[in-house]
Amino acid sequence: MGSHIGSGVAGAAPRILLVDGSKVVRQLISRVVAAEVPGVEIIGVATGAEAQSELQRGVFDFVTVALRLPDMDGLDVARFVRESAPQIYMPIVVVSGDVEARLHKRELGEFVTDYFDKSLGFGALAEFIRGYVRPEGGAEGDVLYVEDSRVVALATRRMMEKYGLTVRHVISAEDAIAYLHEARSRGEVGADIVLTDVSLKGELTGGDLVECIRNEFGYGKGQLPTLIMTGDENPANQAALLRAGANDLVEKPVEEKLLITKLLFQLRVALHLRERAAG
């Protein structure tokens, strides 16, 4: 199903859709993104309706959308993207000044990949986008990886380690929970990100693991981001995983570039949030 995700054409110029009612904001974002991402094609529109017609006309690799648009809420645009089947996994980032308020009220919904606080500046946004459409260089971070197939685990682990990630592999949600409890007893979270298959051999699924991380441990999406790998293309089941607290999903068979991009993106966001909390 790799062809469904973004334009996915190797070497093709990334296409980004910017949806913001302010012409000044569109110009600012366009300028910094163009400087940061070589060869990018940027389409800027002011309204949700224009965004919908652009999305029907062509494939994009990335969408940024303001929460408030002249004709609709930005989340309605995100929902439209998710329901236009070919692009269910395209990253959608909400760019807003009131992200915090919405986050506290848990109002960002399952349609958005992530959020970006305008107060961080558009330079940071450009870097954020570049990490998604042109990931490069090494990465650091501890991945708690839950997969019960030895063959799949070996290949995926090797792929992640090649990029510089440190991988702790366990074969069930139960083992992952035990590991997180042990880490907590030492005063640590135990991982920077969790990558889990949805179907596992124990009693618990990857979805149960995410619910446990969010509810029992109380780790938010920024504190311990979680990616779920799933072979289930049913949008209702995918939405349920996102509602359970997954930051994002990766469709199986897993495409290396996509998995690494999503992992690095979530790691980068979490690091950013942690630095801000500490600062």
Side-chain angles (χ1 to χ4, degrees):
M1 295 266 313
S3 60
H4 276 186
I5 299 162
S7 61
V9 184
R15 298 187 77 228
I16 294 171
L17 180 64
L18 296 182
V19 193
D20 197 300
S22 155
K23 189 176 180 188
V24 175
V25 169
R26 291 199 306 275
Q27 286 173 334
L28 264 172
I29 296 179
S30 298
R31 196 176 309 135
V32 291
V33 171
E36 187 77 38
V37 185
V40 67
E41 184 187 343
I42 300 167
I43 312 273
V45 297
T47 65
E50 289 172 274
Q52 289 175 344
S53 66
E54 284 294 344
L55 286 157
Q56 281 166 325
R57 201 174 301 140
V59 182
F60 288 88
D61 298 279
F62 198 96
V63 176
T64 77
V65 61
L67 274 176
R68 295 194 185 83
L69 297 170
D71 57 341
M72 61 178 80
D73 191 290
L75 298 183
D76 294 330
V77 175
R79 179 182 293 116
F80 177 83
V81 174
R82 292 289 174 244
E83 288 165 0
S84 318
Q87 305 190 339
I88 186 159
Y89 277 133
M90 184 173 35
I92 304 173
V93 171
V94 166
V95 178
S96 163
D98 64 356
V99 160
E100 288 301 315
R102 287 238 181 171
L103 274 180
H104 289 311
K105 289 195 230 142
R106 301 209 178 283
E107 275 176 22
L108 281 174
E110 70 261 30
F111 304 107
V112 174
T113 312
D114 235 306
Y115 46 85
F116 185 87
D117 194 326
K118 261 187 193 150
S119 68
L120 300 173
F122 293 125
L125 174 64
E127 202 184 311
F128 202 64
I129 293 172
R130 185 190 61 189
Y132 225 109
V133 297
R134 289 245 186 278
E136 80 254 347
E140 279 181 20
D142 293 319
V143 182
L144 176 56
Y145 173 41
V146 195
E147 168 62 70
D148 56 23
S149 155
R150 213 166 57 88
V151 179
V152 173
L154 202 63
T156 309
R157 178 177 192 151
R158 191 173 291 150
M159 184 198 305
M160 291 190 278
E161 288 174 342
K162 188 173 80 185
Y163 287 86
L165 295 164
T166 306
V167 181
R168 150 88 49 163
H169 172 231
V170 296
I171 59 171
S172 68
E174 287 84 348
D175 287 351
I177 290 165
Y179 174 74
L180 291 169
H181 273 300
E182 187 195 323
R184 172 171 269 184
S185 70
R186 297 192 305 270
E188 296 165 10
V189 174
D192 296 308
I193 191 162
V194 174
L195 174 65
T196 181
D197 201 318
V198 72
S199 52
L200 298 162
K201 282 201 175 82
E203 293 283 303
L204 303 176
T205 65
D208 295 329
L209 172 60
V210 175
E211 281 189 19
C212 177
I213 288 170
R214 298 287 172 254
N215 303 323
E216 191 183 322
F217 286 92
Y219 297 143
K221 285 185 174 183
Q223 194 176 6
L224 185 55
T226 306
L227 283 179
I228 297 187
M229 295 177 287
T230 174
D232 183 348
E233 288 162 22
N234 177 330
N237 295 344
Q238 292 180 349
L241 290 171
L242 292 166
R243 269 198 301 272
N247 290 54
D248 204 349
L249 307 178
V250 185
E251 267 188 25
K252 297 197 299 192
V254 171
E255 194 190 326
E256 176 171 334
K257 180 173 181 291
L258 183 80
L259 172 63
I260 295 299
T261 298
K262 287 184 179 238
L263 273 169
L264 299 193
F265 184 66
Q266 296 296 346
L267 277 167
R268 204 177 284 119
V269 177
L271 183 68
H272 206 85
L273 293 173
R274 278 203 293 271
E275 281 171 355
R276 284 182 60 213

